[in-house]
Amino acid sequence: MIVSTPAFVLKSFDLRETSKIAVFYTRDDGKVKGILKGIRKDPHKFGSRLGCASLNHIVYYKSRSSEIHLVGQCDLIDDFFTPRRDLRETAVVHLALELVDCLMPLEDPNRPVFDLLFEFLNVLDAGAGERLATVFQIKMLALSGFKPHFDACCVCDARIRTGCTFSHKKGGVLCSRCAPHDPGAEAVYPGTISTVLYLERHGLRPGMRLGMHARVRRQLGAMLERFMRFHVGRRLKSERVLQQILDLSRPVC
Ligand SMILES: [Zn+2]
């Protein structure tokens, strides 16, 4: 079967002397792995250099026996990212791509994830690093099925008022009565809960305009990092790099 679809490049790596393997996020088929034979030997064989986060039009032949499909055509539509130089921006883009790669299963179409990536790359600008990373992570978790529950207690479904905690193990907030279900759960500011709920229900652009108290932003960042580590089983490499870049760019007091 031949598939023809727009696709973002999540990552790519060399295969032997002549070829490359690319991991795409496609509009029609979700995450797809493909081999581009001969691309290293003849860079003009394909109309794309497989830049990170570039949007391409690909045509591939679906293999029945392998999860890696043969890509016959790959033409660049838009290279969102290559001309940018800002370090924070680069780290945020890599975090978004790594998140999509590790949260999404192969060949499970999810158009909202494709649309989110498209919107993310369009709103990217030099000043939006840390905030965009947080907003993107929350939207991505909501779309991928890993969504932490913030709208009600994840044990008894009671409405959350005040004094709740967040449990990575249970995957959401616990009301004060259910808190003993996870003694390791952490106290959460009411502002953190309302911020997550707002971001889940609105697009990236309104999310970027939302006023976020510094302590809420810090708590959200730490919670997301621990939540991902618990569910993915490791800290994301790009998240660690982004944190190092942000630490370096903060003024020393
Ligand atoms: Zn409860």
Side-chain angles (χ1 to χ4, degrees), residues 153-158 174-178:
C153 172
C154 62
V155 171
C156 73
D157 214 27
L174 299 172
C175 70
S176 49
R177 266 189 315 174
C178 297

Side-chain angles (χ1 to χ4, degrees), residues 134-148:
T134 303
V135 178
F136 183 85
Q137 280 186 84
I138 289 167
K139 305 288 305 168
M140 190 58 215
L141 285 170
L143 293 176
S144 66
F146 280 84
K147 180 180 178 306

Side-chain angles (χ1 to χ4, degrees), residues 33-173:
K33 285 185 188 172
I35 178 168
L36 291 88
K37 288 188 174 171
I39 190 170
R40 296 182 64 211
K41 200 167 137 196
D42 176 9
H44 301 297
K45 183 176 175 187
F46 295 89
S48 169
R49 294 185 170 204
L50 296 179
C52 264
S54 64
L55 179 61
N56 303 274
H57 186 88
I58 64 168
V59 176
Y60 66 94
Y61 307 90
K62 230 171 182 173
S63 167
R64 288 187 180 176
S65 54
S66 167
E67 63 178 28
I68 301 176
H69 309 296
L70 177 66
V71 178
Q73 215 177 307
C74 180
D75 296 311
L76 183 68
I77 299 172
D78 199 335
D79 208 343
F80 286 98
F81 177 51
T82 302
R84 296 173 187 272
R85 292 284 184 268
D86 184 272
L87 258 185
R88 277 189 309 179
E89 214 174 309
T90 305
V92 172
V93 170
H94 282 286
L95 175 62
L97 299 177
E98 191 179 355
L99 263 178
V100 174
D101 187 26
C102 76
L103 292 180
M104 301 311 293
L106 278 172
E107 293 168 50
D108 183 14
N110 190 327
R111 178 67 190 263
V113 170
F114 181 88
D115 292 342
L116 179 68
L117 257 180
F118 186 76
E119 193 184 4
F120 165 81
L121 291 164
N122 276 293
V123 300
L124 194 67
D125 65 60
E130 194 177 6
R131 176 181 289 257
L132 185 56
T134 303
V135 178
F136 183 85
Q137 280 186 84
I138 289 167
K139 305 288 305 168
M140 190 58 215
L141 285 170
L143 293 176
S144 66
F146 280 84
K147 180 180 178 306
H149 294 276
F150 276 91
D151 41 0
C153 172
C154 62
V155 171
C156 73
D157 214 27
R159 276 197 65 189
I160 294 295
R161 296 178 195 283
T162 52
C164 69
T165 51
F166 182 79
S167 165
H168 306 102
K169 283 186 203 161
K170 298 284 177 190
V173 286

